[in-house]
Amino acid sequence: MNKFLVLGGTGTTGRRIAARLRSAGHEVRTASRTASDVRLDLDDQSTWTPALDGITAAYLMEPTVRPGDRLAHFTEQALAQGVRRLVLLSASRASDPHHPLHGVEQTVRGSDAEWTILHPNWFAQNFTEGPWKNAVRSGILALPAGDGRTPFIDANDIADVATASLTTSDHSGRTYELTGPEAITFTEAANQLTEAGLSVEYVALSPAEYTEQQVAKGVPRPGAELLTDILTSIANGHGGEPTTDVQQALGRPARTFKAFAHDRDTTSA
């Protein structure tokens, strides 16, 4: 019987995956720096062995946007301790050698374990649980995304694909580009949230304005510039096109942003 380790077990995807596994009767161990079943600090290797003890399948994710190969090294230890199935939450840009997730993605791809890699687009839950939550609650969301379009993905769809990949071998060797079914602008997203009762207006910032705002909030400049570049790429028409990968993985279409907006209390549960 598999025993599952879920990194980021209190986070947007991790807690949803853990809940799905447990509801299906699986033995699950959540791991994060605080509030999980076991303490796991990717910067403290003394916490790795206890977290991995007895684990046969693991959901891997990097909780911070940072350079370095700490998650790759953790993955190597997971394999050495007998983990035979890996599901990695990565990013479509991770093929770039300079991307923070490049090292761990290469480690996973090169392993002899059963592996699945997930490349999700922007989470719909960013508006209600993630980095834009407070701005949305204030009524003004200011970002350097211009009028660009992107197909926001519901984190529940990510969790469903990850759970399926952890519990069966059907998805081994697959890389899924996970998106919502349609690309929309941030203005359209704000309007749909407003129609659903969460009043918010989107304001387009310049890249320089946004970077300086993030630095003023305490974000290290390299991280602020990286995030600005990613958001600006949406404004420049590189926000991604909708895929059918959720349909391929689950046999059903991805949820729309409108459905997320009107059902946000359930999706946040």
Side-chain angles (χ1 to χ4, degrees):
M1 181 177 179
N2 285 328
K3 186 172 184 178
F4 298 90
L5 178 69
V6 178
L7 269 63
T10 60
T12 301
T13 58
R15 62 188 173 85
R16 287 174 164 85
I17 294 164
R20 283 160 170 75
L21 291 169
R22 285 176 172 146
S23 69
H26 296 292
E27 188 174 359
V28 181
R29 179 184 297 155
T30 58
S32 61
R33 293 181 66 180
T34 59
S36 285
D37 297 327
V38 62
R39 181 177 178 270
L40 175 66
D41 184 343
L42 291 174
D43 288 324
D44 181 359
Q45 293 191 25
S46 70
T47 67
W48 296 6
T49 297
L52 289 164
D53 183 41
I55 296 297
T56 56
Y59 174 71
L60 306 171
M61 55 87 63
E62 170 59 67
T64 61
V65 178
R66 51 169 291 168
D69 290 325
R70 63 181 192 168
L71 187 56
H73 296 320
F74 177 82
T75 301
E76 290 168 354
Q77 181 157 331
L79 293 165
Q81 286 190 226
V83 176
R84 305 316 305 155
R85 184 174 292 161
L86 303 169
V87 176
L88 171 66
L89 185 71
S90 186
S92 58
R93 292 186 174 192
S95 59
D96 182 344
H98 300 291
H99 193 280
L101 294 173
H102 178 77
V104 65
E105 185 161 313
Q106 294 305 112
T107 298
V108 169
R109 289 186 187 278
S111 74
D112 59 1
E114 294 183 358
W115 57 262
T116 308
I117 293 174
L118 310 182
H119 288 167
N121 202 65
W122 291 95
F123 292 11
Q125 277 77 5
N126 283 351
F127 291 90
T128 55
E129 302 175 26
W132 309 326
K133 176 180 68 175
N134 291 335
V136 168
R137 288 180 176 177
S138 76
I140 299 290
L141 176 63
L143 298 170
D147 294 322
R149 294 180 173 274
T150 194
F152 296 102
I153 177 76
D154 191 318
N156 288 287
D157 285 341
I158 301 170
D160 285 343
V161 175
T163 301
S165 301
L166 284 166
T167 54
T168 76
S169 60
D170 298 345
H171 309 276
S172 180
R174 295 293 303 270
T175 299
Y176 289 117
E177 305 292 335
L178 301 179
T179 76
E182 59 182 350
I184 62 174
T185 66
F186 278 80
T187 297
E188 290 169 335
N191 289 343
Q192 290 180 21
L193 288 168
T194 298
E195 290 169 6
L198 188 60
S199 181
V200 59
E201 177 186 0
Y202 169 66
V203 175
L205 287 183
S206 72
E209 287 177 309
Y210 184 74
T211 298
E212 294 309 318
Q213 280 190 7
Q214 296 307 299
V215 170
K217 292 177 181 179
V219 178
R221 186 169 290 276
E225 291 174 345
L226 174 62
L227 184 54
T228 299
D229 287 345
I230 296 172
L231 286 163
T232 302
S233 73
I234 299 175
N236 294 335
H238 303 294
E241 296 295 328
T243 73
T244 60
D245 284 19
V246 171
Q247 176 84 48
Q248 292 177 35
L250 302 176
R252 63 161 178 81
R255 297 180 77 228
T256 65
F257 190 88
K258 184 175 183 179
F260 157 77
H262 284 269
D263 196 28
R264 64 186 185 280
D265 290 337
T266 298
T267 59
S268 298

